[in-house]
Amino acid sequence: MTKQVQLQTLPTDGSSASVKLSQRQQLQIIDTTLLKCYLQTNDALIAPLLRLRDNHCHLDESERILKKYQKFSELIILYQRKNLHKRALDMLLKQAMKPDSALKGHERTVQYLQHLGREHLSLIFEFSTWVLKVNPEDGLKIFTEDLPEVEGLPRERVLAYLQQNGQDLIIPYLEHVVHEWKDKTVHLHNTLVHHYRQRVQALMADYKDSLPEGQEALAAGREPGDLGELHRKLIALLETSTHYLPQAVLVHFPFDAFFEERAILLGRLGRHEQALAIYTYVICDLAKAELYCERNYDRTKDADRDVFLTMFRILVSPPDASMIGVMVAQLPQPEANPSAALTLLRKHANKLDTLKALQLLPLTTPICEIYQFLEKVLQEKTSRKRRGQAMRSLLYTEHLQVEELMMSHQAHKIVITEENMCTVCKKKIGNSAFARYPTGLIVHYFCCKDVPISLAYS
């Protein structure tokens, strides 16, 4: 039951009256009176009082008196402690528009919203809209600040909100989620790829229109300004992220642009021949084609084991232009590049199937052209054979040592008589299961867990 406190008061007519107050009411009177005293004597103590978790200031009376003295910062603290967040945010919005207010601007609203958490998501969305309009960069911090309350916001819903109220903030928001918070959600990675592509596509059109007649556009990622930066980010994301769906992303890329991006996505889908044909005959960058092979080569996977062989075959026997799968005006029929093929052969001899590579070579290839390749292959195979022989010898030696040790242990016999006693329980061993330690100590098997280490191994 609530504790009742009886107070004797003297009315103005001289008669006595009795007023019963609950403990809560009494605390309200005390804290509210203390608040009024601080307003008169030392207003620096008002905020610490209101920040107390167990402050019992009467809401209506405290609100009235704080408004009277224009203590709006302290009023926000009162609302926050009473969980009246909408009142607090309404007050912050009103004060933010007043040039002479101590709460002018959007900073306090941003800080307030950052600490609300996901249970107040509707309020965050409602009051972040005006901040995003006034200062988009600071408004984005409502959803990206490194605070537990902010990091715990549902990211799919925040993304949907930004799509309606802050299109330009979608890319920086998703970059923070993916790179800083290491989010692995497939939809978020897919969405970031799509927005990179859309932005690059728009900037690329303006860039090409600005070029003088006859001047070729720079390679992907080398364009000036925001276009080059976004293009590099798109390529880096496609190369490093493993949390997007390449088949879902690829269908949105046009056939007459984004050739390097298409090659990366085709590689993710295991279509190495088509990807390498783009690098070799559309982008015309053999260094990137070789880097692609190094990135995708995996001796343990059937689909990726022959990626260098695929590049070698493309260089020796080029595919038809229609197989490449892109739309390029006046794309010439690819021509063989035997010099580059032989360089690749010599450089990555241990990553190609020797027999298959030799079968792909033209019959007119001079032996002197493949001499270094054959020499390197034979050295590698000889070295591998010798390593195998050495390992076999080491394993056989270890096998003999283990057998000798086993025979030594098997030759040792233990005789249990009626006189043998368990050191732990002091009972006879008899026919029970027992354990013997290197020191010769014999105990019941059940008792061996209780043997001190000093007795067992000293």
Side-chain angles (χ1 to χ4, degrees), residues 180-370:
E180 299 299 325
W181 290 342
K182 310 299 181 185
D183 193 298
K184 299 179 181 180
T185 305
V186 171
H187 175 64
L188 297 180
H189 283 251
N190 283 358
T191 305
L192 182 55
V193 171
H194 288 317
H195 279 273
Y196 274 151
R197 175 189 53 78
Q198 289 173 351
R199 187 71 181 131
V200 169
Q201 203 164 359
L203 292 174
M204 181 64 75
D206 296 337
Y207 168 62
K208 288 185 176 179
D209 291 341
S210 68
L211 291 174
E213 186 176 354
Q215 182 176 338
E216 293 289 332
L218 295 175
R222 296 182 181 177
E223 306 93 342
D226 292 341
L227 174 58
E229 182 181 359
L230 285 170
H231 219 154
R232 289 191 295 272
K233 287 182 177 180
L234 173 57
I235 292 172
L237 180 65
L238 292 175
E239 287 179 341
T240 59
S241 173
T242 57
H243 305 294
Y244 65 86
L245 293 176
Q247 63 271 26
V249 169
L250 182 60
V251 296
H252 296 285
F253 281 81
F255 288 94
D256 59 349
F258 294 99
F259 300 126
E260 187 167 352
E261 292 84 345
R262 177 171 290 275
I264 296 169
L265 292 169
L266 289 169
R268 286 293 178 90
L269 294 171
R271 293 155 64 178
H272 297 307
E273 185 172 2
Q274 200 173 351
L276 287 167
I278 292 174
Y279 277 118
T280 306
Y281 297 111
V282 179
I283 301 176
C284 299
D285 194 329
L286 291 176
K288 285 189 176 180
E290 187 176 346
L291 186 63
Y292 170 92
C293 292
E294 291 175 353
R295 191 169 57 244
N296 288 276
Y297 174 76
D298 189 344
R299 187 185 295 272
T300 63
K301 295 182 180 178
D302 292 340
D304 302 327
R305 183 182 300 142
D306 291 331
V307 63
F308 279 98
L309 184 67
T310 301
M311 182 177 175
F312 179 74
R313 182 171 59 250
I314 287 173
L315 291 170
V316 172
S317 179
D320 188 83
S322 60
M323 185 280 292
I324 300 177
V326 296
M327 296 172 59
V328 181
Q330 300 177 347
L331 178 66
Q333 176 62 30
E335 295 181 359
N337 190 341
S339 175
L342 291 170
T343 301
L344 183 74
L345 200 63
R346 290 190 293 269
K347 191 173 181 180
H348 300 282
N350 59 335
K351 297 176 183 176
L352 289 96
D353 185 304
T354 306
L355 182 60
K356 291 180 180 179
L358 291 174
Q359 289 174 343
L360 290 171
L361 283 172
L363 296 176
T364 56
T365 304
I367 292 294
C368 62
E369 295 286 347
I370 59 172

Side-chain angles (χ1 to χ4, degrees), residues 70 72-73 94-105:
Q70 296 188 348
F72 297 112
S73 294
K94 291 177 184 177
Q95 294 300 313
M97 305 305 173
K98 295 181 179 180
D100 57 342
S101 172
L103 297 175
K104 67 178 180 180

